[in-house]
Amino acid sequence: MSEQLKFIVEQLNKDPFKKTFNLITFDSLEPMQLLQILNDVLAEIDPKQALDIREEMPEHTVKRMCALLGMLKYKPPGNQSDVSSFRQGLVIGSKPVVHPILHWLLQRVPELKKRAYLARFLVKLEVPAEFLQDDVINDTYHQYEELVEGFKTYHKECEQLRTSGFSTAEIRRDISAMEEEKDQLIKRVERLKKRVESVSNHQRMLDQARQLRVEKEREESLAHQKQEQKNQLFQAEQRLQRLQQQLKDMRQAAADANPESLMKRLEEEIKINSYMVSEKLPKELEGMRHTVQYLQKVASEPAMGQTDLQELEDKIKEVDSQINQLIEKKMMRNDPMDDKLTLYRQQASIIIRRKEAKAEELQEAREELAAAERELRQRTNQARTSDGEVIRGDELKRLVGKLRSKGTLYKKKRQEIAELKAEYGVLQRTEEILKQRHETVQQRLQTVEAEKGISGYSNTQEELERVSAIKSELDEKKGRTLDDMSEMVKKLNSMIVEKKSALAPIIKELRSLRQRCQELSQEYDEKKAQYESCAAGLESNRSKLEQEVKALREETAQEENRYHHINCMSEIIEMQIQRAAEEMKAYVSSDPQERKKAIREVYMKNITEQELLGKKLREKQKMVRESHSANMEQMKMWRDLEQLMECKRQCFIRAQSQASIGQVIQEGGEDRLVL
């Protein structure tokens, strides 16, 4: 319970409620305040519930809350399943009733908001059947149902769009990027137009380019049509081959079979199909329907908590124990007739299971056959689209022959590779042995050189030989490189001359433009410096003036506030002085009427009146206390007298209604019945 209260307080202190509760203040709330908080939470889920419960009758409040909780599929926990006790607890604002409701609502606020929103449109109006006999009402109701179904479809589409990953921000960014690209393309097209306008016969070239584009599009469309026609032809040929194969199979079956075998086979197929249609498929369909109903039931129920799961587990344990008890009773009964029938029952169940297994195998085989046919069609379509040709029977045989020859060639090459790998291993081992021997010889040579005092002689000689070989190679490369470089220099010189001749007019024009650009840049720098200096001076003056204006405004506001405050205080003091002067005038006046108007006299008069009233009330209280016991005895006697008179009246009425069974004698204030 403490965790529940803690969760409720934390959720109420957050948005959108923004309360300032703690555990103590929330637990000490009055029932009316607790109901108002519950109503606020319900108003957050459904805005129609936003109202003050003090302005509403308690019966209407409970009815409204119960209707909304029922629509939200709330179930009272534990022992509150009794509707009357739940309603009574909701009327009086009982904490054991309200706290679980708040805990359940605050756990599922977004989900319940969505459910309340959908309930406004999906909870159908109940129209009596006699009203639906009217054609106008019936048509209107059908239109209403169609609108509800349309709302369901639109809401599903909206949810799919929300969960599909698209967002308005991304779409806006894409649109802005596309608009920028469009502007860039427009600018590029304008630049190209300006560049093309200087070319002679540009309009004719544009027309030819446009015609070329149209012809290319037409060529693409014709190629697409050609591909479609090839596909159609391929499909027709495939269909023809399939039909020819079926005709061939049927002819072979007709040639090899007689009418009796055909009838027998047809009867078997009919039996299999009738079993599939009448027994297997209805069972599967019924099982799927039960599964769908169960899933719909589970989806329609609210989210289950730990207590609900514990209750279901307890129920499952109880049912299992009952089943075990029934099985034990059946085993203890041990009827001999049942023992005789168990064998036949087992045989029948085995046959049924075998029958179902064979039917499933048949269905799986049919599905595999259909899948293989689909895969064959896909492969043929892929071959058609990729190669553009249909592989016929003769071509397939030639292809198989080629594959076989290639297979034998592959085997030979693989054998050769294996032999080469083995030889490579031998050579590698030989290389390792030679390296080891070379290392031993080198070590011996180094020891001999060290003994003779010429260590490093062999290494120096090898290094000189290697350097001489590298030098010769470099000389050859330099000779080849110089020839190539001379040819390349000639080509580059010719290209430079051509480029210079082509760029000469452009360079002349560029020189004038550069001079103009330098002049404009100098003028721009001068104007920019003047602007920046002027702007800096104006900005500094503006900032100073703004600070002065701000300070003067603040000073003006302070002085205005001070003036108004002093003015009000002076008026109040004047009124107080005037009132004190009038009071003194009335108090020292010789006229008794004027003295009565003084505040002091009025207060004194009120004090004396209240003292007299208190004195009278104390006397009255004393009298009541003194006469209380006597009055209580007198009231008791009057009650006894009233009961006695009522008893006499009842006796009289009973005597009048029944037959006379005796004689009533009244003597000395007593009544006697003589039988």
Side-chain angles (χ1 to χ4, degrees), residues 443-459:
Q443 289 177 0
R444 289 178 183 175
L445 181 60
Q446 288 176 1
T447 55
V448 170
E449 288 176 353
E451 290 175 356
K452 300 295 182 180
I454 52 172
S455 60
Y457 176 76
S458 60
N459 293 330

Side-chain angles (χ1 to χ4, degrees), residues 131-320:
F131 291 162
L132 292 176
Q133 300 298 325
D134 191 357
D135 296 335
V136 178
I137 297 175
N138 195 7
D139 295 338
T140 307
Y141 190 71
H142 285 306
Q143 292 178 3
Y144 166 71
E145 289 180 342
E146 291 175 358
L147 290 173
V148 170
E149 295 297 327
F151 174 78
K152 288 181 181 179
T153 56
Y154 292 145
H155 181 70
K156 287 179 182 178
E157 292 176 359
C158 180
E159 291 295 326
Q160 289 176 359
L161 289 174
R162 285 178 180 173
T163 56
S164 61
F166 294 104
S167 63
T168 56
E170 292 178 358
I171 294 170
R172 286 174 182 170
R173 285 197 295 269
D174 294 339
I175 291 170
S176 62
M178 290 178 184
E179 288 177 351
E180 291 177 358
E181 291 178 0
K182 181 182 176 183
D183 295 336
Q184 292 176 1
L185 290 173
I186 290 170
K187 291 178 181 178
R188 189 178 296 175
V189 169
E190 290 177 354
R191 286 198 300 269
L192 290 173
K193 281 183 179 179
K194 291 179 181 178
R195 189 180 297 175
V196 170
E197 285 174 357
S198 62
V199 181
S200 61
N201 297 327
H202 69 277
Q203 189 64 36
R204 183 168 170 272
M205 294 174 69
L206 287 174
D207 295 336
Q208 289 179 357
R210 190 179 297 109
Q211 189 175 0
L212 177 62
R213 188 177 66 253
V214 172
E215 292 297 329
K216 283 185 177 180
E217 291 177 355
R218 185 181 176 188
E219 183 182 0
E220 289 178 358
S221 64
L222 290 174
H224 185 65
Q225 290 178 3
K226 182 180 177 182
Q227 187 66 31
E228 288 182 353
Q229 289 177 0
K230 282 184 179 180
N231 291 332
Q232 292 176 1
L233 179 62
F234 173 71
Q235 291 175 1
E237 289 178 354
Q238 289 289 327
R239 185 179 179 188
L240 178 62
Q241 289 179 2
R242 189 166 60 252
L243 292 174
Q244 287 177 354
Q245 185 67 30
Q246 290 179 1
L247 180 61
K248 185 178 179 181
D249 294 339
M250 291 176 70
R251 283 178 179 175
Q252 289 179 359
D256 297 337
N258 52 12
E260 293 179 354
S261 61
L262 290 173
M263 290 296 295
K264 187 175 180 181
R265 189 168 61 189
L266 289 173
E267 286 177 356
E268 289 178 355
E269 290 182 358
I270 290 167
K271 287 180 181 179
I272 292 169
N273 292 327
S274 61
Y275 169 73
M276 296 287 289
V277 171
S278 61
E279 294 184 12
K280 189 174 186 301
L281 293 177
K283 287 181 180 178
E284 292 180 355
L285 184 61
E286 189 67 25
M288 289 181 180
R289 284 177 181 170
H290 286 305
T291 305
V292 170
Q293 290 178 359
Y294 178 72
L295 292 175
Q296 289 177 352
K297 184 178 178 182
V298 171
S300 62
E301 290 182 355
M304 300 179 70
Q306 190 65 31
T307 55
D308 299 331
L309 293 174
Q310 189 66 33
E311 290 178 359
L312 289 175
E313 289 177 358
D314 295 338
K315 288 181 181 179
I316 290 168
K317 289 179 181 179
E318 290 178 0
V319 172
D320 290 338

Side-chain angles (χ1 to χ4, degrees), residues 29 135 215 405 443 490 500 521 524 550 589 592 596:
L29 289 176
D135 296 335
E215 292 297 329
S405 63
Q443 289 177 0
K490 290 179 182 179
K500 279 183 179 180
S521 61
Y524 169 73
K550 186 177 180 182
S589 177
K596 287 182 179 179

Side-chain angles (χ1 to χ4, degrees), residues 477-525:
K477 288 181 180 179
K478 281 180 182 179
R480 290 195 299 269
T481 306
L482 288 172
D483 295 335
D484 295 336
M485 288 176 69
S486 62
E487 291 178 0
M488 190 180 294
V489 166
K490 290 179 182 179
K491 290 180 181 178
L492 288 173
N493 288 327
S494 62
M495 289 174 66
I496 288 167
V497 171
E498 292 176 358
K499 295 293 182 181
K500 279 183 179 180
S501 61
L503 293 172
I506 298 172
I507 290 169
K508 289 180 181 179
E509 186 179 358
L510 181 61
R511 286 174 183 172
S512 61
L513 292 174
R514 280 179 179 174
Q515 188 176 0
R516 179 64 178 164
C517 178
Q518 289 176 0
E519 293 175 357
L520 291 174
S521 61
Q522 289 177 0
E523 186 179 357
Y524 169 73
D525 293 335

Side-chain angles (χ1 to χ4, degrees), residues 241 390-400:
Q241 289 179 2
V390 181
I391 300 174
R392 304 182 186 279
D394 299 334
E395 295 177 356
L396 184 62
K397 289 179 180 178
R398 287 198 298 272
L399 182 62
V400 171

Side-chain angles (χ1 to χ4, degrees), residues 6 89 124 152 170 198 204 241 266-267 275 340 354 359 362 380 502 563 572 621 634:
K6 188 176 179 182
K124 293 186 177 180
K152 288 181 181 179
E170 292 178 358
S198 62
R204 183 168 170 272
Q241 289 179 2
L266 289 173
E267 286 177 356
Y275 169 73
K340 292 179 181 179
R354 286 180 181 176
L362 177 62
T380 51
Y563 166 74
I572 292 168
Q621 183 182 8
Q634 189 175 4

